[in-house]
Amino acid sequence: MKRILIATIGLAALTAGCTGNAIGGDPAPTSGGSAPTSSSGSASGLEAVKPCDLLTETEVSGLGLTYPGKASQVGTSDGCAWNISGNGGLRAGIRTESGLKDLNLDGDKITQTKIGKYDATKVEAQDGAKNICTFAIGVSESSSVVVIGNLTATSEDTAAACERSSKAAELIAPKLP
């Protein structure tokens, strides 16, 4: 199952790199058989947040991305993707029933960090893709926002992908409940 997920995310990243669109997925929850401990209020108000409202038009433009973003749902993640013509893009995904511990985060380098007041996990070269960098922000024990920056599939500039996703995550964090 994990290999299928990795292949699916990798294919999405390759497709995005070829077309210049932002990737359409983010890490899926692990298939560990335990359900979230509480469904009511578990997201601490995150369920009321619209993904495309996480960045303003000015912020999107400041990041060099195209406004407005395109809303999409991938698995249990409600998200929004913004792109840069010919150079990948950014996706922010809201998971109201998956905290950091529930996410399947795998990459070349994984670092625990802080984004604003939140604990976060930085994943460089997610699933081995050198053109992708992810920041998963733990909003509560059972909810998270995942910010994925990607460049074209032929790029191996993980640092540039991390710069893109880091800047966006810092803009998004103050808007979270």
Side-chain angles (χ1 to χ4, degrees), residues 64-117:
L65 301 163
T66 303
Y67 186 87
K70 182 179 179 187
S72 65
Q73 182 163 354
V74 177
T76 61
S77 170
D78 287 323
C80 189
W82 301 268
N83 68 18
I84 298 174
S85 183
N87 195 19
L90 181 85
R91 182 178 195 282
I94 296 174
R95 294 187 176 272
T96 59
E97 295 185 8
S98 300
L100 289 179
K101 67 181 179 0
D102 302 314
L103 299 176
N104 179 17
L105 301 172
D106 188 31
D108 286 0
K109 184 176 178 186
I110 298 172
T111 310
Q112 301 309 309
T113 188
K114 284 274 200 192
I115 299 290
K117 66 180 182 177

Coordinates of all heavy atoms in Angstrom, one line a residue, residues 64-117:
G64 N 5.3 34.6 -6.1 CA 5.5 34.4 -7.5 C 4.5 33.4 -8.1 O 4.7 32.8 -9.2
L65 N 3.4 33.1 -7.4 CA 2.4 32.1 -7.8 C 1.3 32.8 -8.5 O 1.1 34.0 -8.4 CB 1.9 31.3 -6.6 CG 3.0 30.6 -5.7 CD1 2.5 30.2 -4.4 CD2 3.5 29.4 -6.5
T66 N 0.5 32.0 -9.2 CA -0.7 32.5 -9.9 C -1.9 32.4 -9.0 O -2.2 31.4 -8.3 CB -1.0 31.6 -11.1 OG1 0.2 31.6 -11.9 CG2 -2.1 32.1 -11.9
Y67 N -2.6 33.5 -8.9 CA -3.9 33.7 -8.1 C -5.0 33.7 -9.1 O -4.9 34.3 -10.2 CB -3.8 35.0 -7.3 CG -5.0 35.1 -6.3 CD1 -4.9 34.5 -5.1 CD2 -6.1 35.8 -6.7 CE1 -5.9 34.7 -4.2 CE2 -7.2 35.9 -5.8 CZ -7.1 35.3 -4.6 OH -8.1 35.4 -3.7
P68 N -6.2 33.1 -8.8 CA -6.5 32.4 -7.6 C -6.0 30.9 -7.7 O -5.6 30.4 -8.8 CB -8.0 32.4 -7.6 CG -8.4 32.4 -9.0 CD -7.3 33.2 -9.7
G69 N -5.9 30.3 -6.5 CA -5.6 28.9 -6.5 C -6.7 28.0 -6.9 O -7.8 28.4 -7.1
K70 N -6.4 26.7 -7.2 CA -7.4 25.8 -7.6 C -7.7 24.8 -6.5 O -6.8 24.1 -6.0 CB -6.9 25.0 -8.8 CG -8.0 24.0 -9.4 CD -7.5 23.3 -10.6 CE -8.5 22.3 -11.1 NZ -8.0 21.5 -12.2
A71 N -9.0 24.8 -6.0 CA -9.4 23.9 -4.9 C -9.4 22.4 -5.4 O -9.8 22.2 -6.6 CB -10.7 24.3 -4.4
S72 N -9.0 21.5 -4.6 CA -9.0 20.1 -4.9 C -9.0 19.3 -3.6 O -8.6 19.7 -2.6 CB -7.8 19.7 -5.8 OG -6.6 19.9 -5.0
Q73 N -9.6 18.1 -3.8 CA -9.5 17.1 -2.6 C -8.7 15.9 -3.1 O -8.9 15.3 -4.1 CB -10.9 16.7 -2.2 CG -10.8 15.8 -1.0 CD -12.1 15.6 -0.3 OE1 -13.1 16.3 -0.6 NE2 -12.2 14.7 0.7
V74 N -7.7 15.6 -2.3 CA -6.9 14.4 -2.5 C -7.0 13.5 -1.2 O -6.5 14.0 -0.2 CB -5.4 14.8 -2.8 CG1 -4.6 13.5 -3.0 CG2 -5.4 15.7 -4.0
G75 N -7.6 12.4 -1.4 CA -7.8 11.5 -0.2 C -8.6 12.3 0.8 O -9.7 12.8 0.5
T76 N -8.1 12.4 2.0 CA -8.8 13.1 3.1 C -8.4 14.6 3.3 O -8.7 15.2 4.2 CB -8.7 12.4 4.5 OG1 -7.3 12.4 4.8 CG2 -9.2 11.0 4.4
S77 N -7.6 15.0 2.3 CA -7.1 16.4 2.3 C -7.8 17.3 1.4 O -7.9 17.1 0.2 CB -5.6 16.4 1.9 OG -5.1 17.7 1.7
D78 N -8.4 18.4 2.0 CA -9.0 19.4 1.2 C -7.9 20.4 1.0 O -7.2 20.9 1.9 CB -10.1 20.2 2.0 CG -11.4 19.3 2.1 OD1 -11.7 18.6 1.1 OD2 -12.1 19.4 3.1
G79 N -7.6 20.7 -0.3 CA -6.5 21.6 -0.6 C -6.7 22.6 -1.6 O -7.8 22.8 -2.2
C80 N -5.6 23.4 -1.8 CA -5.6 24.4 -2.8 C -4.2 24.4 -3.4 O -3.2 24.3 -2.7 CB -5.9 25.8 -2.2 SG -6.2 27.1 -3.5
A81 N -4.2 24.5 -4.8 CA -2.9 24.5 -5.5 C -2.8 25.8 -6.2 O -3.7 26.3 -6.9 CB -2.8 23.3 -6.4
W82 N -1.6 26.4 -6.2 CA -1.2 27.6 -6.9 C 0.0 27.2 -7.8 O 0.8 26.4 -7.3 CB -0.8 28.8 -6.0 CG -1.9 29.2 -5.0 CD1 -2.8 30.2 -5.2 CD2 -2.2 28.7 -3.7 NE1 -3.7 30.3 -4.1 CE2 -3.3 29.4 -3.2 CE3 -1.6 27.7 -2.9 CZ2 -3.8 29.1 -1.9 CZ3 -2.1 27.4 -1.7 CH2 -3.2 28.1 -1.2
N83 N 0.1 27.7 -9.0 CA 1.3 27.3 -9.8 C 2.1 28.5 -10.2 O 1.7 29.7 -10.1 CB 0.8 26.4 -11.0 CG 0.0 27.2 -12.0 OD1 0.0 28.4 -12.0 ND2 -0.7 26.5 -12.8
I84 N 3.2 28.2 -10.8 CA 4.1 29.1 -11.5 C 4.3 28.5 -12.9 O 4.8 27.4 -13.0 CB 5.5 29.3 -10.7 CG1 5.3 29.8 -9.3 CG2 6.4 30.1 -11.5 CD1 6.5 29.8 -8.5
S85 N 3.9 29.2 -13.9 CA 4.0 28.7 -15.2 C 5.5 28.2 -15.5 O 6.4 28.9 -15.4 CB 3.6 29.8 -16.2 OG 3.7 29.2 -17.5
G86 N 5.6 26.9 -15.8 CA 6.8 26.3 -16.1 C 7.8 26.0 -15.0 O 8.9 25.6 -15.2
N87 N 7.3 26.3 -13.7 CA 8.2 26.1 -12.6 C 7.5 25.5 -11.3 O 7.7 25.9 -10.2 CB 9.0 27.3 -12.2 CG 10.2 27.0 -11.3 OD1 10.7 25.9 -11.2 ND2 10.7 28.1 -10.6
G88 N 6.6 24.6 -11.5 CA 6.0 23.9 -10.4 C 5.0 24.8 -9.7 O 4.2 25.5 -10.3
G89 N 4.9 24.7 -8.4 CA 4.0 25.5 -7.6 C 4.0 25.1 -6.1 O 5.0 24.8 -5.6
L90 N 2.8 25.2 -5.6 CA 2.6 25.1 -4.1 C 1.2 24.5 -3.9 O 0.3 24.8 -4.6 CB 2.7 26.4 -3.4 CG 2.6 26.4 -1.9 CD1 3.9 26.1 -1.3 CD2 2.1 27.8 -1.4
R91 N 1.1 23.6 -2.9 CA -0.2 23.1 -2.5 C -0.3 23.1 -1.0 O 0.7 22.8 -0.3 CB -0.4 21.7 -3.0 CG -1.8 21.1 -2.6 CD -2.1 19.7 -3.1 NE -3.5 19.4 -3.0 CZ -4.1 19.0 -1.9 NH1 -3.5 19.0 -0.8 NH2 -5.4 18.7 -2.0
A92 N -1.4 23.6 -0.5 CA -1.7 23.6 0.9 C -2.9 22.6 1.1 O -3.9 22.8 0.5 CB -2.0 24.9 1.5
G93 N -2.7 21.6 2.0 CA -3.8 20.7 2.2 C -4.2 20.6 3.7 O -3.3 20.6 4.6
I94 N -5.5 20.7 4.0 CA -6.0 20.6 5.3 C -6.5 19.2 5.6 O -7.3 18.7 4.9 CB -7.2 21.6 5.5 CG1 -6.6 23.1 5.3 CG2 -7.8 21.5 6.9 CD1 -7.7 24.1 5.3
R95 N -6.0 18.7 6.7 CA -6.5 17.3 7.2 C -7.1 17.5 8.6 O -6.3 17.7 9.5 CB -5.3 16.4 7.2 CG -4.8 16.1 5.8 CD -3.7 15.0 5.9 NE -3.2 14.6 4.6 CZ -3.8 13.7 3.8 NH1 -4.9 13.1 4.2 NH2 -3.3 13.4 2.6
T96 N -8.4 17.5 8.6 CA -9.1 17.7 9.9 C -9.1 16.5 10.8 O -9.4 16.6 12.0 CB -10.5 18.1 9.7 OG1 -11.2 17.1 8.9 CG2 -10.6 19.5 8.9
E97 N -8.7 15.3 10.3 CA -8.7 14.1 11.1 C -7.3 13.4 11.1 O -7.3 12.2 11.4 CB -9.8 13.2 10.7 CG -11.2 13.8 10.9 CD -12.3 12.8 10.6 OE1 -12.1 11.7 10.3 OE2 -13.5 13.3 10.6
S98 N -6.2 14.1 10.8 CA -4.9 13.5 10.8 C -3.9 14.5 11.3 O -3.6 15.5 10.7 CB -4.5 13.1 9.4 OG -5.4 12.2 8.8
G99 N -3.4 14.2 12.5 CA -2.3 15.0 13.1 C -1.0 14.6 12.5 O -0.9 13.7 11.7
L100 N 0.1 15.2 13.0 CA 1.4 14.9 12.5 C 1.8 13.4 12.6 O 2.3 12.8 11.8 CB 2.5 15.8 13.2 CG 2.5 17.3 12.9 CD1 3.6 18.0 13.7 CD2 2.7 17.5 11.4
K101 N 1.4 12.9 13.8 CA 1.7 11.5 14.0 C 1.0 10.5 13.1 O 1.4 9.4 12.9 CB 1.4 11.1 15.5 CG -0.1 11.1 15.8 CD -0.3 10.8 17.2 CE -1.8 10.8 17.6 NZ -2.8 11.1 16.7
D102 N -0.1 11.0 12.5 CA -0.9 10.1 11.5 C -0.4 10.2 10.1 O -0.8 9.4 9.3 CB -2.3 10.6 11.6 CG -2.9 10.5 13.0 OD1 -2.7 9.5 13.7 OD2 -3.6 11.5 13.4
L103 N 0.5 11.2 9.8 CA 0.9 11.4 8.4 C 2.1 10.4 8.0 O 2.9 10.2 8.8 CB 1.3 12.8 8.2 CG 0.2 13.9 8.4 CD1 0.8 15.3 8.2 CD2 -0.9 13.6 7.5
N104 N 2.1 10.0 6.8 CA 3.2 9.2 6.3 C 4.2 10.1 5.6 O 4.1 10.5 4.5 CB 2.6 8.2 5.2 CG 3.6 7.4 4.6 OD1 4.7 7.2 5.1 ND2 3.3 6.8 3.5
L105 N 5.1 10.6 6.4 CA 6.1 11.6 6.0 C 7.5 10.9 5.8 O 8.1 10.4 6.7 CB 6.3 12.7 7.0 CG 5.0 13.5 7.3 CD1 5.2 14.4 8.4 CD2 4.5 14.2 6.0
D106 N 7.9 10.8 4.5 CA 9.2 10.1 4.2 C 9.9 11.0 3.2 O 9.3 11.5 2.3 CB 8.8 8.7 3.6 CG 10.1 7.9 3.5 OD1 11.1 8.0 4.2 OD2 10.1 7.1 2.5
G107 N 11.2 11.1 3.4 CA 12.0 11.9 2.5 C 13.5 11.7 2.8 O 13.9 11.0 3.7
D108 N 14.3 12.5 2.1 CA 15.8 12.4 2.2 C 16.2 12.9 3.6 O 17.1 12.4 4.2 CB 16.5 13.1 1.1 CG 16.4 12.4 -0.2 OD1 15.9 11.3 -0.3 OD2 17.0 13.0 -1.2
K109 N 15.6 14.0 4.1 CA 15.9 14.5 5.3 C 14.6 15.0 6.0 O 13.9 15.8 5.4 CB 16.9 15.7 5.2 CG 17.4 16.3 6.5 CD 18.4 17.4 6.2 CE 18.8 18.0 7.5 NZ 19.7 19.2 7.3
I110 N 14.4 14.6 7.3 CA 13.2 14.9 8.0 C 13.7 15.6 9.3 O 14.5 15.1 10.0 CB 12.4 13.7 8.3 CG1 11.9 13.0 7.0 CG2 11.2 14.1 9.2 CD1 11.2 11.7 7.2
T111 N 13.1 16.8 9.5 CA 13.5 17.7 10.6 C 12.3 18.2 11.4 O 11.3 18.6 10.8 CB 14.3 18.9 10.1 OG1 15.3 18.5 9.2 CG2 14.9 19.7 11.3
Q112 N 12.3 18.1 12.7 CA 11.2 18.7 13.5 C 11.5 20.1 13.7 O 12.7 20.5 14.0 CB 11.2 17.9 14.9 CG 10.9 16.4 14.8 CD 9.7 16.1 13.9 OE1 8.6 16.6 14.1 NE2 9.9 15.2 13.0
T113 N 10.5 21.0 13.6 CA 10.7 22.4 13.6 C 9.5 23.1 14.2 O 8.6 22.4 14.7 CB 11.1 22.9 12.2 OG1 11.5 24.3 12.3 CG2 10.0 22.8 11.2
K114 N 9.5 24.4 14.1 CA 8.3 25.2 14.5 C 8.0 26.1 13.4 O 8.8 26.7 12.7 CB 8.6 26.1 15.7 CG 8.7 25.4 17.1 CD 7.3 25.3 17.6 CE 7.3 25.0 19.1 NZ 6.0 24.6 19.6
I115 N 6.7 26.2 13.1 CA 6.1 27.2 12.2 C 5.2 28.0 13.0 O 4.1 27.5 13.4 CB 5.4 26.5 11.0 CG1 6.4 25.6 10.2 CG2 4.8 27.6 10.1 CD1 7.4 26.4 9.4
G116 N 5.5 29.3 13.2 CA 4.7 30.1 14.1 C 4.7 29.4 15.5 O 5.7 29.0 16.0
K117 N 3.5 29.3 16.1 CA 3.4 28.6 17.4 C 3.2 27.1 17.3 O 3.0 26.4 18.3 CB 2.2 29.2 18.1 CG 0.8 28.9 17.5 CD -0.3 29.6 18.3 CE -1.7 29.2 17.7 NZ -2.8 29.8 18.5

